Every structure is written in structure tokens, then in C-alpha cells.
Amino acid sequence: MPGAKTAAEWLAAVAPDPEVCRLEWERNPLGTALLPAGRAWDVLILPGRLGYPTLDVLTRVLDRPGPVLADFGDARVGFLVPPGTAARWLGTGVRTAGAGTWIVVPHPGRLPSGGVRWLILPDGSGTLTDPALLELAMHEAVAGPAGGEGRWRG
């Protein structure tokens, strides 16, 4: 995948040992590794019924939102946001992963085989979703006529 190498390097850079992270991605049959949140990004985790419509709104207003993860059950959608956002976020039903937490991250260049997958791949440049824009998109998703059924729902 174009840009996957740069994206993988950007993601692995937050690991205590980036080389161990790269080896974990290669050896793990799911192609995932645990990475610490709070260094280069935090994650806001929305229930799927809100996360997918929110992503629909974001993709209509932004050329490129920041990286977005989803679990294979479509129960949760995680938006990568600037570090420190998790500590300041106030919102019912939104889980956060910030400093002191770890998340499962799939390799950006491998096809998903279970666990989590990328809905929006990181581009390796450090692009993240602006939390204020994310909040506005969440409000529009709740109020919008789509009724929670967006194009990302499969």
C-alpha cells in the first residue's frame, strides 16, 4: 500500500522500542501490536452507532480526517486526536485512551485479519482529527437525517 511504510514508521515511533513493534506486527497472526496512547496521539472511542455517522460527516467536510480505527464487530470506532485530548474530554458514552493507556493497532500495510482495522489509514505525516471538529461532527451525526445509517456501515 502506498504510504504504508511511512505510516508504520510514524506509528511505531511511539513504541518504547520501535523495532519490537515492527517485529510484533510481522509475527502476530492478526498483524497487530500494542502501542501507548498519549505520546503522538490520543484516541476517542465512540460506539459504532455514533462513530460511523460521525465519520460520514467528517469525510463530507474535510479533505482528509485523521486516522480512524474500528473493531471487526463494528461496536466501536476510534478517532486519533492530539495528545492531551483524552484528559480534557467530557462526553457521555465516549471512551478515551490517553497517557498511561495502550491500544491495539493494526499494521497500516496489511490486510485486516481480525481484531481491529483501519477505516482511515494514517498518512505518516501526523495528521490527526481536530477534537472540536469531531465534537461538531458528532452533534451533526446525532441530529442528521441519516439516522445512524451512514455509508461506512456494512
Side-chain angles (χ1 to χ4, degrees):
M1 297 177 128
K5 184 177 191 302
T6 304
E9 289 170 2
W10 176 73
L11 289 165
V14 302
D17 185 336
E19 185 57 33
V20 170
C21 175
R22 286 187 280 277
L23 289 172
E24 182 64 20
W25 273 330
E26 289 175 21
R27 293 180 181 158
N28 183 319
L30 298 177
T32 61
L34 277 175
L35 291 177
R39 292 183 180 180
W41 34 261
D42 284 357
V43 185
L44 296 181
I45 305 160
L46 283 59
R49 68 186 179 283
L50 175 59
Y52 285 96
T54 297
L55 182 56
D56 282 339
V57 171
L58 283 175
T59 58
R60 286 195 308 265
V61 298
L62 295 174
D63 287 334
R64 178 157 175 47
V68 180
L69 293 163
D71 65 8
F72 271 96
D74 290 328
R76 290 173 295 280
V77 177
F79 294 83
L80 274 65
V81 294
T85 301
R88 296 184 306 273
W89 189 263
L90 299 173
T92 304
V94 177
R95 294 172 43 194
T96 63
T101 63
W102 294 69
I103 64 164
V104 176
V105 177
H107 188 285
R110 287 180 63 180
L111 292 176
S113 60
V116 296
R117 68 189 186 285
W118 291 106
L119 296 177
I120 304 286
L121 287 165
D123 62 9
S125 73
T127 299
L128 300 168
T129 297
D130 179 304
L133 262 157
L134 179 61
E135 183 176 12
L136 290 171
M138 289 168 60
H139 288 287
E140 185 173 326
V142 168
E149 295 301 321
R151 68 178 177 187
W152 294 95
R153 277 308 247 187

